[in-house]
């Protein structure tokens, strides 16, 4: 089997994903307009399809660039 070195180049936009954990919906099954809600915690991470592919490829050990 040949060993071929390759580089993955992803092209796309960077977005910021805001993920909220443990939202208390006050007994409802969904978020309702006009109410305030609190959450246990949250995080902001970079996202976007090209970024997500690049991050997963890096986790698999690939040589990756993002444009």
């Amino acid at each position: 089997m040949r060993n071929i070195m390759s580089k993955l180049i992803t092209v796309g936009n960077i977005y910021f994903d805001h993920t909220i954990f443990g939202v208390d919906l006050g007994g409802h099954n969904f978020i309702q307009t006009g109410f305030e809600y609190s959450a246990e915690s949250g995080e902001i991470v970079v996202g976007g399809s090209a970024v997500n592919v690049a991050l997963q490829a890096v986790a698999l050990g690939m040589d990756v660039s993002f444009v």
Side-chain angles (χ1 to χ4, degrees):
M1 187 161 129
R2 282 187 347 187
N3 183 8
I4 300 173
M5 288 296 295
S6 61
K7 182 175 192 107
L8 174 67
I9 300 174
T10 61
V11 179
N13 296 318
I14 296 177
Y15 298 100
F16 291 101
D17 295 333
H18 301 261
T19 306
I20 307 299
F21 303 101
V23 176
D24 179 8
L25 299 178
H28 301 283
N29 292 329
F30 54 90
I31 294 176
Q32 297 181 5
T33 304
F35 291 89
E36 290 186 14
Y37 296 93
S38 61
E40 294 175 9
S41 64
E43 67 182 5
I44 299 173
V45 296
V46 293
S49 58
V51 172
N52 293 338
V53 168
L55 291 173
Q56 292 300 312
V58 166
L60 293 172
M62 296 179 69
D63 185 15
V64 180
S65 292
F66 174 80
V67 177

